[in-house]
Amino acid sequence: MKAWLLSFCLLLTSCAAITQTTLLTFPAARLQLDSVTVPVQLANTPALRAQGLMFQQQAQPGMLLLYTEPQAISLWMRNTSMPLDVAFITADWTIHHIRQLQPFDETPVPSEIAIIAALEMPQGWFAAQNLGKGSTVRLLAAEAQP
């Protein structure tokens, strides 16, 4: 029994080490939200969206989780150490609503409706920029996938 438990613990430790050392690189993008232009990291593949801001030390320059078609999603903050705001963006590229996310909180935060994108920024960023429900979002430029 002890040998099995030790093996299981070593396996979990190995998986955590692999996850942290094989982090993916995100392409850059530029967004315009109403009159504000901002650079962001672009998570436009399932693997990039799954990694998100995990293990990063700061939320700058933010991250756009982009989907190929509108869908209902849920986000969580596993291995994410900074407080975030997330704007859920509809297929017509307007902000439907913004929710706060707390560090390391694994409680699912649902989009409530089908969305095309979610924009994660440092907590308070949207309010400081005077952006909220109904603000328009445009993807101005995006790098090719690394």
Side-chain angles (χ1 to χ4, degrees), residues 24-100:
L24 301 171
T25 302
F26 293 88
R30 278 186 319 128
L31 297 178
Q32 183 174 337
L33 294 94
D34 288 345
S35 62
V36 178
T37 301
V38 62
V40 294
Q41 299 174 78
L42 181 61
N44 58 349
T45 68
L48 290 173
R49 288 190 298 268
Q51 180 177 310
L53 288 169
M54 286 196 299
F55 304 112
Q56 294 190 29
Q57 299 305 308
Q58 60 180 359
Q60 291 292 353
M63 180 169 290
L64 181 70
L65 299 117
L66 182 60
Y67 298 86
T68 55
E69 58 186 53
Q71 57 191 281
I73 67 162
S74 286
L75 301 175
W76 63 357
M77 295 287 284
R78 176 175 282 174
N79 299 314
T80 307
S81 62
M82 68 294 261
L84 301 173
D85 284 341
V86 59
F88 293 102
I89 302 167
T90 61
D92 68 355
W93 288 85
T94 59
I95 294 176
H96 182 266
H97 67 285
I98 298 172
R99 295 279 305 268
Q100 290 187 338

Side-chain angles (χ1 to χ4, degrees), residues 83-86 98 100 121-131:
L84 301 173
D85 284 341
V86 59
I98 298 172
Q100 290 187 338
M121 298 297 284
Q123 206 164 80
W125 185 88
F126 292 99
Q129 302 299 323
N130 218 16
L131 299 167

